[in-house]
Amino acid sequence: MLKAVLRKVPGKEKEKEKEKQFLEVWDQNRKVKSIDLTALDKHGSVYDDDQFGCLAWSHSETHLLYVAEKKRPKAESFFQSKASELGTSDEDVGCPEKEDAPLKGEQFVYHEDWGETLSTRSVPVLCALDIEGSSVSVLEGVPKHLSPGQAFWSPGDTGVVFVGWWHEPFRLGLRHCTNRRSALFYVDLTGGRCELLSEDTRAVWSPRLSPDHCRIVYLENDALGPHQQCSQLRMYDWYTKHTSTVLEAVPRQAWGAFPGIYCGALPGLCWAADSRRLVLDTAQRSQQDIFVVDTVTGATTSLTADAPQGSWSVLTIDRDLLVARFSTPSCPPTLKVAVLPEAGREAQVQWVYLQDAPPITGISWSIRTLQPPPEQEHPQYGGLDFDAILMRPSEDRAMAQKPPLVVMPHGGPHSVFTAGWMLYPASLCRMGFAVLLVNYRGSLGFGQDSVASLPGNVGTQDVRDVQFCVERVLQEESLDASRVALVGGSHGGFLACHLLGQFPNTYHAGVVRNPVVNIASMVTTTDIPDWCLTETGLPYAPDALPDPAQWTEMLQKSPMRYVDQVRAPVLLMLGEDDRRVPPKQGLEYYHALKARGIPTRLLWYPGNNHALAGVEAEADGFMNMALWLLKYLRCSCPHWRLSAAERGPMASGTERSAEATGGPAACYRELSRFPAITRAALGATVGGQTFLLYTGFSARTLPQGSTVPCSAAAHGRAMSCWRFGAVTGAATAWTSRHWGSTGRSTQRVGSVPLCPQWRQEWHKCWTQCLPSASCQAGFPLTMPGPFSCLSWSHSETRLLYVAEKSRPKPQPPCPWDVPGAALLAEQDEDEEDERFMYREDWGEALSTRSVPVICALDLESSSILVLEGVPEHLSPGQALWSPDDRGVVFVGWWHEPFRLGLSACSNRRSGIFHLDVSSGHCELLSAEHSAACSPRLSPDGQRLLYLEGALGGPHRQCQRLRMLTWRTRQTVTVLDVVQELTEAFAGLYGEALPPRCWAADSRRAVLGTPQRSRTDLLLVDTETATVTNLTAGSPEGCWELLTLQWDILVATCSAPHHPPSLVVSVLPPAGQELPLHWVPVEDTPTVPGVTWKILTVQPPHSRQSSDVHGTQAFEALLLSPLDSTTPHPLIVCPHGGPHAVFDARWRPNMAALCQLGFAVLLVNYRGSLGFGQASISSLQSRMGEQDVADTQLAVEQALRSEPLDPHRLALLAGSHGAFIALHLLTREPERYQACALRSPVSNLPALLGTSDIPDWRYTSLGLPYSFERVPRAEEVAAMLLRSPIAQAAQVQTPVLLCVGARDRRVSPTQSLELYRVLRARGVPARLLWYPEGGHALTGVETEADVFGNCARWFLRHLGQPRLDRMGQQSH
């Protein structure tokens, strides 16, 4: 009898080796063969999951069937080239066979996966290993629109039977979703013909071939609808080709009758030896029982009806020897075996214990059945009842006071609590809590009517059922009604949050794990968007667009609706990698609670997904949950229940040395030691007279923090084996899988382009447009964040800087299995564990900035002092020494109740402070309710200059220039906000003043700021408040001051056709500044073939609008190829922000597009910076209207006045600019022939729960924002109507999307939603996914790849030939 083992060996992380995979063939205890699958390089990783994965022997035992990821072609960047080794040639190496050419520009193409726990599964393929030849074949014939899995050999080994899941137009999450469209197929290995064996409009899974190879049974559900349902059992006759229904779905569960099938899969071996009967386990109300099914008659018989009440699961059946797992809420899992009686006598089955596990003392349990009151009956499905399992401390362990109650509704919502072993409830019960597990209407095991009653009624029916159950139990049981808590995860967390808000007087604490709190915001971020609509009672279609009425309905059914009424303290636990209920859901609830002053704590578990099933996360989660409940339910346990450490110094030394029995750590340690039995297999001994039973189990190894799987085929791991007599029969082969740990893999890149004819042109354009190395040498341009600084004291003995506050080092996991360790665990259990404590950061580009502190380095003593005295509600930054070196001036940002994104947001509440180092006294120097930043001390130390903006509102605005006289502490406004645009001065719009901006006279300052579509250098006289433009009229359109020292100005200047040049000048005395003479230090030549101009666009006057700013002119930059006679295709680029500006600076990507023959129009619509505050204000509440109309107007004017081709137009934009571009595609679907977008905003209300700047969404509608604000239904509807996604049905233009996976500003799920909608509607769409990219998609490789793909996209869809450097067409 052969066994197959898949062994995975992780590569060395330092050498970035790929994980290696081996298939081993074993005969008894001897390894016959080991095949290196990685070396064969036929496919990617072998699937080891139970969704797709399989290891199936052919009936002849010569071939092995498995599923693996399809091998992907190698890909590389457009600009990557592979240099040949020096001193070698093809002749030297004998002209070796060349590898397949890597695909240029395909390195970051997005590949869909199958969602939660299946993120590495994208395109599965069927593979067959020839044992004799040690060769692997990837089977052909599977249709491209299918993802195959759960495969096995057909009778006669002529082909393969498999389940195929439809993955077009896109993939939805598959884990725990038995409603995905799928069917049973047969692929003939000789001709590659694929035959459909089942209906192709249903959901099919778990096929099982009978021992006589004549019949295949499988489970079948309706496609879509609830994710879990009552399933049909179907059977396909291999020879007659006839399909029959063995068992139908059961509408109502009748007492004592078969309840229906509710299992996630049939047992791997489920057929009896007669090939007529099969065994399965399924939920029967709040129990799980084993049934035998006669596939001919459809008769069912319970094999556990007369057995103890609890939870039964089939592990395997082989030649009628049945192995099962049994447990109860008070009894950990045990193994039982039985011989299946002959047909008609199944009820006489006799179960035999293989393990005798006594029940856990101190726990009693019962099942209660409840009937909802008449007013809560379902109008269509009346008469439904439901169950609850009540666990409570036994009477002999009862405390003097009534026990508190912990209420646990299950997740799903179509799931069920069966009366089996559950670690958390058992541990809580041992601690003295009563636990109520509620199977509300909609749970599995109560009939399909119960399941169907819940969609459309979530948030009401399920909430009322739980509350009704709680009230009834409190009335009838001796429980403390003043100490009731809620614990729930996923949909159970949804119910817990609902109950906390709807019934605030009932519950006194809450613990929720990955809760659903806002269905409306979850629909665009989850791997199961259909769930959000289905459970809300709405239809789902892949090509459906968001509808305001539907979003309103989803919000109305969400717990966020009741967050204002929550009073109980809430502990949240979130998995960082959760794809099902993304952690943004919990963060949204956490922020809402913090803003309302509700005690709340958030635990963040990296590397954990929806289930939070990692050993360390599970143990930490329990400890924090237990401590939270003990704290807020005021559990003053009796003296005998507390550990000595918990009792404090009153405990004696003898008591301290004793092991505690009732604390959280002790309970968890005691009850988590029981292994979970996961599988079983039977093997025959020589002669076939006895059987060997092999079981696989997983045990929590708390010292190592991992779950150890144990199996018969895993060397060095524990296994269990029993030998006993059994029915004789022919020996059969069985397959064992060994799943090793995974490691990181690297992607090899090559050098050959996908489109060779354009490779040289793109490469030349890009490299010619990059600044010269000589310009950058010696003048590194840094991009410091808003907090950073390096400031010398005036005595130059101390250095000031800002750093992240140090955190206590995490304690290593306690080795609970060594002597004396239990006492340490008990001593620490009353202290909050900070390892997984969530720490807020400052959002996009500042994810590593959380709690900054000001530090001073003493050079003489080489010591560092962390300055004290900064108020705890402030985050300090931009610090500098005060004039006398006795204190520090800094900017302090308010971070309570929580942090909002700070990058490119100059409207955050902040002030200028002075901290006296010796006394620790902190003084506010600026206005209290404003946004102040960028303090600059004059050379004489008498004046402090800083910028000040309005609090809230637009993120970028026209700012004031304020000056503080240090000695008197008097503050004056040097330059005020400019409302109306003037020729002389347009206002200040920079995010920061230059680090050195003061002239030597300590009176004048130089700064750079946008002025219309230019960025100029301005000289400000702080005494007279006059402004002089030092660069007005220069041919360069962008000037940036690098430093001003001893009146020497160092700056860079550039233009759209001119890369940055380094220039210097000497600032003349006051009153003689003009003309200023600049001397080039590093002068770069202009780029040939590019011209540019500024277009002024005048909006038409609207009689309906009384707004005087409605007709204010705006501008656009037009970059054109040099040849003015050829009509050029036009690429239209509205900027992001929306309050930003395209100034006339050097942009290499735009210049490169010009050299390729495209004209580029950069639109500064009304609302752009540099045109006055009135222009900025005019866009508020008009986003999606005014900005879109302005861009249209600019395009029309450019087409009328310039030699442009109106039939070849494209859009290129990012962020809010992409928002405008999408609106243009929906309004004029036939005007644009191509579109390339970066990090687009497509769905405004979906950003409320996913962006680091939720306030921006309110500002876009002209609404005020507050931390406590929760979106109302009418606001969500208004936002959706302003969103391009609502009109995506009008889009016809091919769209390229470029997305950063780490984007905190505009979640990448925005692009995913748009991509899926476009694909479902047949619009050409391509998505590039940059794993390390943020919102700006910066980085050399990323920027180059984005440009290359955008250029190829435009060339493909606009068909423009490139122009040579002199503007002539090249062919």
Side-chain angles (χ1 to χ4, degrees):
M1 181 177 66
L2 297 180
K3 294 180 292 185
V5 175
L6 173 65
R7 191 178 302 278
K8 294 187 175 183
V9 180
K12 297 179 181 178
E13 189 171 353
K14 292 183 178 179
E15 286 79 5
K16 296 183 178 180
E17 289 183 351
K18 292 183 179 180
E19 177 187 76
K20 293 185 178 180
Q21 302 176 100
F22 298 88
L23 259 179
E24 299 175 351
V25 179
W26 290 72
D27 186 0
Q28 299 296 329
N29 295 321
R30 181 174 62 90
K31 183 164 66 174
V32 178
K33 228 168 208 185
S34 178
I35 296 96
D36 188 344
L37 298 179
T38 305
L40 293 178
D41 198 24
K42 293 289 187 178
H43 51 70
S45 297
V46 177
Y47 286 12
D48 53 8
D49 58 84
D50 55 4
Q51 186 67 53
F52 293 99
C54 66
L55 276 177
W57 285 103
S58 62
H59 305 294
S60 60
E61 291 192 350
T62 59
H63 291 77
L64 190 67
L65 186 68
Y66 60 93
V67 179
E69 182 69 14
K70 183 179 180 180
K71 181 183 177 182
R72 293 178 185 168
K74 295 177 182 178
E76 68 179 15
S77 167
F78 281 108
F79 303 95
Q80 183 170 344
S81 60
K82 184 177 180 181
S84 58
E85 296 183 14
L86 296 177
T88 63
S89 65
D90 288 348
E91 294 180 358
D92 296 332
V93 296
C95 296
E97 182 180 351
K98 294 184 178 180
E99 297 181 357
D100 294 337
L103 302 179
K104 286 284 186 179
E106 300 289 313
Q107 187 175 1
F108 299 105
V109 171
Y110 175 69
H111 298 280
E112 285 187 332
D113 58 56
W114 286 97
E116 174 71 15
T117 74
L118 299 172
S119 59
T120 59
R121 311 295 190 252
S122 180
V123 185
V125 290
L126 301 175
C127 305
L129 170 66
D130 185 324
I131 301 300
E132 296 180 359
S134 299
S135 61
V136 171
S137 300
V138 177
L139 306 187
E140 298 181 354
V142 178
K144 291 185 178 180
H145 65 277
L146 297 178
S147 289
Q150 300 184 7
F152 57 86
W153 296 94
S154 66
D157 291 343
T158 59
V160 170
V161 177
F162 67 92
V163 176
W165 284 269
W166 270 254
H167 55 232
E168 294 294 342
F170 51 83
R171 294 161 175 81
L172 293 173
L174 195 54
R175 176 66 66 189
H176 303 306
C177 299
T178 58
N179 65 336
R180 299 294 179 232
R181 185 184 176 191
S182 50
L184 198 63
F185 294 88
Y186 165 71
V187 60
D188 191 319
L189 297 185
T190 57
R193 177 180 56 88
C194 190
E195 178 184 353
L196 178 68
L197 304 183
S198 66
E199 297 181 40
D200 62 355
T201 59
R202 307 271 289 169
V204 165
W205 77 104
S206 199
R208 301 291 185 258
L209 181 65
S210 62
D212 63 3
H213 301 173
C214 292
R215 301 171 186 85
I216 300 173
V217 292
Y218 57 90
L219 297 175
E220 186 177 276
N221 275 352
D222 290 333
L224 295 179
H227 285 179
Q228 297 282 342
Q229 309 170 30
C230 187
S231 306
Q232 288 182 314
L233 182 65
R234 303 272 281 172
M235 184 170 66
Y236 176 80
D237 190 294
W238 185 257
Y239 295 101
T240 67
K241 310 298 183 185
H242 173 70
T243 300
S244 59
T245 300
V246 179
L247 294 176
E248 292 279 5
V250 176
R252 296 282 177 114
Q253 195 273 339
W255 289 98
F258 181 67
I261 301 176
Y262 305 93
C263 54
L266 294 173
L269 293 175
C270 63
W271 281 96
D274 57 14
S275 293
R276 170 172 173 164
R277 296 173 298 164
L278 61 87
V279 293
L280 54 84
D281 55 69
T282 184
Q284 184 175 22
R285 299 184 68 89
S286 296
Q287 299 185 69
Q288 185 160 302
D289 289 308
I290 298 176
F291 292 85
V292 59
V293 180
D294 190 314
T295 60
V296 177
T297 64
T300 60
T301 304
S302 174
L303 298 180
T304 53
D306 298 328
Q309 188 181 40
S311 177
W312 292 78
S313 299
V314 177
L315 295 178
T316 190
I317 182 173
D318 194 347
R319 284 157 288 180
D320 289 346
L321 185 61
L322 185 61
V323 184
R325 177 181 63 231
F326 171 74
S327 69
T328 72
S330 61
C331 180
T334 61
L335 281 175
K336 293 195 175 188
V337 297
V339 176
L340 181 66
E342 62 185 21
R345 302 178 62 185
E346 292 91 349
Q348 301 177 14
V349 65
Q350 298 293 321
W351 292 98
V352 178
Y353 276 100
L354 285 184
Q355 295 172 307
D356 188 11
I360 302 298
T361 59
I363 300 176
S364 62
W365 63 277
S366 62
I367 298 176
R368 305 172 66 96
T369 299
L370 299 101
Q371 186 74 42
E375 64 273 13
Q376 296 181 14
E377 287 282 0
H378 194 285
Q380 182 179 354
Y381 302 104
L384 295 174
D385 59 8
F386 64 96
D387 284 355
I389 302 172
L390 178 63
M391 302 171 58
R392 57 177 302 158
S394 298
E395 295 300 325
D396 59 342
R397 294 177 62 89
M399 297 179 290
Q401 55 184 341
K402 295 179 180 179
L405 176 64
V406 176
V407 182
M408 289 187 178
H410 62 70
H414 306 295
S415 179
V416 65
F417 280 130
T418 59
W421 175 254
M422 292 167 280
L423 176 60
Y424 274 23
S427 300
L428 288 174
C429 203
R430 286 277 290 176
M431 289 175 58
F433 294 97
V435 182
L436 184 64
L437 310 169
V438 185
N439 289 323
Y440 45 86
R441 284 173 291 171
S443 302
L444 301 180
F446 294 80
Q448 181 62 24
D449 285 356
S450 181
V451 173
S453 72
L454 188 55
N457 296 293
V458 292
T460 52
Q461 175 178 293
D462 43 4
V463 172
R464 291 170 182 169
D465 283 357
V466 176
Q467 182 65 16
F468 175 72
C469 181
V470 170
E471 293 174 355
R472 178 66 63 84
V473 167
L474 289 176
Q475 290 173 2
E476 298 178 356
E477 297 286 336
S478 178
L479 301 171
D480 192 340
S482 66
R483 295 187 296 158
V484 182
L486 282 159
V487 175
S490 192
H491 188 82
F494 169 90
L495 294 177
C497 294
H498 257 299
L499 290 159
L500 290 171
Q502 293 192 44
F503 303 96
N505 296 326
T506 302
Y507 304 99
H508 307 90
V511 180
V512 291
R513 299 162 54 250
N514 294 320
V516 177
V517 300
N518 188 336
I519 304 176
S521 64
M522 176 178 156
V523 70
T524 64
T525 59
T526 179
D527 67 329
I528 50 170
D530 61 312
W531 180 93
C532 300
L533 293 160
T534 298
E535 297 303 331
T536 309
L538 302 169
Y540 172 79
D543 60 346
L545 301 177
D547 178 81
Q550 292 182 345
W551 276 59
T552 298
E553 184 67 16
M554 286 188 282
L555 185 60
Q556 292 289 354
K557 294 184 181 297
S558 299
M560 286 299 290
R561 178 185 174 189
Y562 301 98
V563 71
D564 283 330
Q565 300 167 212
V566 176
R567 298 291 179 268
V570 179
L571 172 66
L572 295 109
M573 306 177 190
L574 306 180
E576 184 179 61
D577 299 333
D578 191 347
R579 296 280 300 279
R580 185 123 303 174
V581 181
K584 289 291 185 181
Q585 288 278 301
L587 280 172
E588 187 177 351
Y589 200 66
Y590 171 72
H591 286 155
L593 294 176
K594 281 199 69 178
R596 286 160 176 78
I598 303 299
T600 183
R601 190 167 189 250
L602 175 57
L603 302 176
W604 188 271
Y605 294 99
N608 279 264
N609 49 34
H610 189 58
L612 292 180
V615 173
E616 193 173 17
E618 190 179 59
D620 183 88
F622 173 80
M623 289 297 298
N624 276 284
M625 174 188 67
L627 294 174
W628 190 264
L629 297 176
L630 289 170
K631 177 179 180 180
Y632 287 105
L633 294 187
R634 309 178 310 282
C635 293
S636 55
C637 301
H639 184 78
W640 65 270
R641 295 191 62 79
L642 288 176
S643 68
E646 288 171 325
R647 291 200 299 275
M650 296 176 60
S652 65
T654 304
E655 289 173 327
R656 286 184 177 275
S657 62
E659 173 69 15
T661 60
C667 289
Y668 186 86
R669 182 172 60 252
E670 174 193 0
L671 301 182
S672 64
R673 72 181 190 272
F674 299 105
I677 304 168
T678 56
R679 63 190 182 93
L682 291 165
T685 59
V686 178
Q689 299 301 314
T690 59
F691 283 94
L692 294 177
L693 170 60
Y694 297 88
T695 62
F697 58 93
S698 62
R700 294 172 177 83
T701 56
L702 291 167
Q704 292 79 20
S706 61
T707 300
V708 178
C710 307
S711 67
H715 296 288
R717 297 183 178 180
M719 67 177 183
S720 299
C721 179
W722 286 268
R723 181 189 298 266
F724 50 88
V727 181
T728 60
T732 59
W734 65 283
T735 302
S736 172
R737 293 177 286 184
H738 172 59
W739 310 125
S741 59
T742 58
R744 295 182 178 178
S745 62
T746 57
Q747 187 179 28
R748 184 180 177 183
V749 292
S751 61
V752 181
L754 182 61
C755 301
Q757 64 270 30
W758 294 108
R759 176 175 62 88
Q760 294 182 350
E761 286 79 354
W762 292 347
H763 182 71
K764 289 179 181 177
C765 287
W766 188 259
T767 54
Q768 287 174 1
C769 295
L770 292 176
S772 64
S774 60
C775 175
Q776 297 181 13
F779 294 91
L781 300 179
T782 60
M783 296 296 291
F787 299 102
S788 60
C789 69
L790 274 177
S791 176
W792 286 103
S793 62
H794 299 91
S795 61
E796 295 191 349
T797 59
R798 289 181 293 176
L799 187 65
L800 198 67
Y801 63 94
V802 175
E804 183 69 15
K805 183 179 181 180
S806 62
R807 299 172 183 171
K809 294 182 179 179
Q811 297 296 323
C814 180
W816 286 352
D817 58 346
V818 300
L823 178 61
L824 295 176
E826 292 296 337
Q827 290 174 340
D828 292 339
E829 70 176 17
D830 58 344
E831 299 178 3
E832 291 185 339
D833 192 340
E834 300 293 324
R835 278 178 297 166
F836 300 108
M837 183 73 176
Y838 175 70
R839 291 174 174 84
E840 289 182 331
D841 57 56
W842 285 96
E844 175 65 24
L846 299 171
S847 59
T848 59
R849 309 292 190 262
S850 179
V851 186
V853 292
I854 303 174
C855 306
L857 170 64
D858 189 311
L859 297 182
E860 295 180 359
S861 62
S862 299
S863 61
I864 293 176
L865 174 67
V866 177
L867 303 188
E868 298 181 353
V870 177
E872 291 186 357
H873 64 276
L874 296 178
S875 289
Q878 301 182 12
L880 54 104
W881 293 97
S882 63
D884 53 6
D885 283 351
R886 295 180 180 178
V888 170
V889 177
F890 68 91
V891 177
W893 283 269
W894 271 254
H895 56 231
E896 292 294 343
F898 53 85
R899 294 161 177 80
L900 293 173
L902 191 56
S903 177
C905 297
S906 58
N907 66 336
R908 301 298 182 224
R909 186 182 179 188
S910 53
I912 308 295
F913 294 85
H914 173 247
L915 175 66
D916 188 292
V917 175
S918 59
S919 67
H921 174 69
C922 191
E923 174 189 6
L924 177 64
L925 304 178
S926 62
E928 184 175 359
H929 295 282
S930 65
C933 66
S934 198
R936 301 292 185 260
L937 190 64
S938 62
D940 62 6
Q942 298 302 310
R943 299 173 179 85
L944 187 72
L945 206 63
Y946 62 91
L947 295 174
E948 184 181 270
L951 191 62
H955 287 174
R956 299 286 301 279
Q957 309 176 40
C958 187
Q959 296 182 301
R960 296 181 181 89
L961 184 64
R962 302 273 281 171
M963 185 173 67
L964 171 81
T965 301
W966 187 259
R967 184 175 59 83
T968 64
R969 293 297 199 267
Q970 291 183 345
T971 302
V972 297
T973 299
V974 179
L975 297 177
D976 209 341
V977 172
V978 174
Q979 293 291 337
E980 301 295 338
L981 189 64
T982 64
E983 292 295 331
F985 177 55
L988 299 179
Y989 305 92
E991 287 192 85
L993 296 173
R996 292 180 178 269
C997 63
W998 281 98
D1001 57 14
S1002 293
R1003 169 178 173 172
R1004 296 174 296 166
V1006 178
L1007 51 87
T1009 184
Q1011 302 288 284
R1012 296 179 181 267
S1013 296
R1014 294 174 53 90
T1015 294
D1016 286 313
L1017 296 182
L1018 306 180
L1019 178 69
V1020 180
D1021 189 313
T1022 60
E1023 292 186 3
T1024 63
T1026 57
V1027 178
T1028 303
N1029 193 325
L1030 300 178
T1031 55
S1034 65
E1036 295 81 12
C1038 179
W1039 291 77
E1040 295 179 301
L1041 180 66
L1042 298 181
T1043 188
L1044 170 57
Q1045 203 166 359
W1046 306 297
D1047 283 348
I1048 298 176
L1049 292 160
V1050 182
T1052 62
C1053 59
S1054 68
H1057 69 312
H1058 189 181
S1061 295
L1062 186 65
V1063 295
V1064 297
S1065 182
V1066 177
L1067 183 65
Q1072 305 176 28
E1073 293 90 356
L1074 295 180
L1076 192 64
H1077 299 287
W1078 293 96
V1079 177
V1081 177
E1082 289 286 349
D1083 193 12
T1084 56
T1086 59
V1087 173
V1090 180
T1091 62
W1092 68 281
K1093 64 172 64 174
I1094 296 178
L1095 304 179
T1096 301
V1097 184
Q1098 184 68 50
H1101 179 71
S1102 174
R1103 294 182 179 181
Q1104 288 77 20
S1105 176
S1106 59
D1107 187 357
V1108 296
H1109 309 298
T1111 58
Q1112 178 182 333
F1114 62 94
E1115 296 179 347
L1117 294 171
L1118 179 64
L1119 284 67
S1120 303
L1122 188 59
D1123 181 10
S1124 60
T1125 61
T1126 302
H1128 303 295
L1130 178 65
I1131 298 176
V1132 181
C1133 305
H1135 62 70
H1139 306 296
V1141 65
F1142 275 135
D1143 57 3
R1145 71 173 62 227
W1146 167 253
R1147 293 179 175 84
N1149 54 342
M1150 300 303 176
L1153 288 173
C1154 268
Q1155 287 206 328
L1156 287 171
F1158 298 101
V1160 181
L1161 185 67
L1162 309 175
V1163 184
N1164 289 322
Y1165 46 85
R1166 285 171 293 171
S1168 303
L1169 301 180
F1171 293 82
Q1173 181 64 28
S1175 175
I1176 295 173
S1177 300
S1178 71
L1179 188 55
Q1180 302 307 301
S1181 76
R1182 296 185 177 92
M1183 292 184 190
E1185 298 173 354
Q1186 176 177 292
D1187 43 3
V1188 177
D1190 285 358
T1191 305
Q1192 283 180 301
L1193 195 61
V1195 172
E1196 292 168 0
Q1197 178 167 322
L1199 291 175
R1200 288 195 306 267
S1201 61
E1202 305 295 331
L1204 303 171
D1205 189 343
H1207 303 294
R1208 289 188 292 173
L1209 301 182
L1211 289 159
L1212 173 63
S1215 194
H1216 184 82
F1219 171 87
I1220 296 172
L1222 287 170
H1223 269 299
L1224 290 169
L1225 293 181
T1226 64
R1227 297 184 185 186
E1228 298 184 285
E1230 297 181 358
R1231 164 164 277 195
Y1232 298 94
Q1233 284 70 53
C1235 180
L1237 306 176
R1238 294 181 300 103
S1239 308
V1241 176
S1242 61
N1243 189 329
L1244 289 174
L1247 281 177
L1248 286 172
T1250 59
S1251 174
D1252 67 330
I1253 51 171
D1255 57 317
W1256 184 88
R1257 316 309 156 204
Y1258 292 97
T1259 302
S1260 65
L1261 296 180
L1263 299 172
Y1265 172 78
S1266 66
F1267 288 101
E1268 299 85 2
R1269 185 156 195 163
V1270 174
R1272 296 190 291 268
E1274 60 271 18
E1275 294 170 348
V1276 169
M1279 291 180 191
L1280 190 56
L1281 288 174
R1282 290 284 183 90
S1283 302
I1285 194 70
Q1287 287 82 37
Q1290 308 301 320
V1291 176
Q1292 302 174 16
T1293 306
V1295 178
L1296 171 68
L1297 299 163
C1298 305
V1299 181
R1302 297 180 181 271
D1303 191 345
R1304 298 280 300 280
R1305 186 127 302 174
V1306 179
S1307 171
T1309 56
Q1310 291 269 306
S1311 293
L1312 278 174
E1313 181 190 21
L1314 177 63
Y1315 172 72
R1316 288 176 170 178
V1317 166
L1318 295 177
R1319 284 196 60 190
R1321 292 182 171 272
V1323 178
R1326 179 178 168 90
L1327 177 59
L1328 302 178
W1329 189 270
Y1330 297 92
E1332 302 301 321
H1335 186 59
L1337 290 179
T1338 56
V1340 175
E1341 184 180 22
T1342 299
E1343 291 180 30
D1345 191 84
V1346 169
F1347 169 78
N1349 274 284
C1350 291
R1352 181 175 69 170
W1353 194 256
F1354 294 141
L1355 290 166
R1356 173 182 174 184
H1357 293 288
L1358 297 183
Q1360 169 64 27
R1362 178 187 177 275
L1363 301 182
D1364 63 20
R1365 300 178 70 178
M1366 299 305 295
Q1368 302 296 318
Q1369 291 188 10
S1370 59
H1371 301 280

